[in-house]
């Protein structure tokens, strides 16, 4: 599955909510599969001094694990 960050929300609690979109990479899969998925990854705490790319990659990693 191809995953991409669709939006980022900074919550009042200090948490981060990341909307992730997932799409099948196959045009015509031979077996049943998901076509499009949207999910929100909730990060209750994260290193605010870390580069945003690192935080988003962590969110994508959580999304990948949940799709297994």
């Amino acid at each position: 599955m191809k995953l991409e960050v669709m939006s980022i929300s900074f919550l009042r609690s200090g948490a981060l909510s990341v909307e992730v979109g997932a799409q099948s990479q196959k045009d015509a899969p031979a077996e049943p599969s998901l076509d499009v998925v949207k999910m929100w990854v909730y990060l209750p705490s994260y290193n605010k001094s870390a580069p945003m790319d690192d935080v988003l990659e962590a969110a994508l990693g959580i999304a990948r694990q949940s799709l297994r």
Side-chain angles (χ1 to χ4, degrees), residues 51-67:
M52 187 52 69
D53 287 342
D54 292 351
V55 175
L56 297 180
E57 193 57 43
L60 290 173
I62 292 166
R64 274 188 204 95
Q65 287 177 354
S66 71
L67 289 172

Side-chain angles (χ1 to χ4, degrees), residues 28-45:
E31 55 191 51
S33 65
L34 293 172
D35 184 29
V36 177
V37 174
K38 262 191 189 177
M39 66 182 72
W40 284 262
V41 177
Y42 177 73
L43 302 169
S45 64

Side-chain angles (χ1 to χ4, degrees), residues 4-9 16-21 39-41 56:
E4 72 179 290
V5 172
M6 306 301 287
S7 68
I8 305 164
S9 299
L16 187 66
S17 177
V18 180
E19 179 184 3
V20 175
M39 66 182 72
W40 284 262
V41 177
L56 297 180

Side-chain angles (χ1 to χ4, degrees), residues 1 6 48:
M1 294 219 122
M6 306 301 287
K48 291 174 179 57

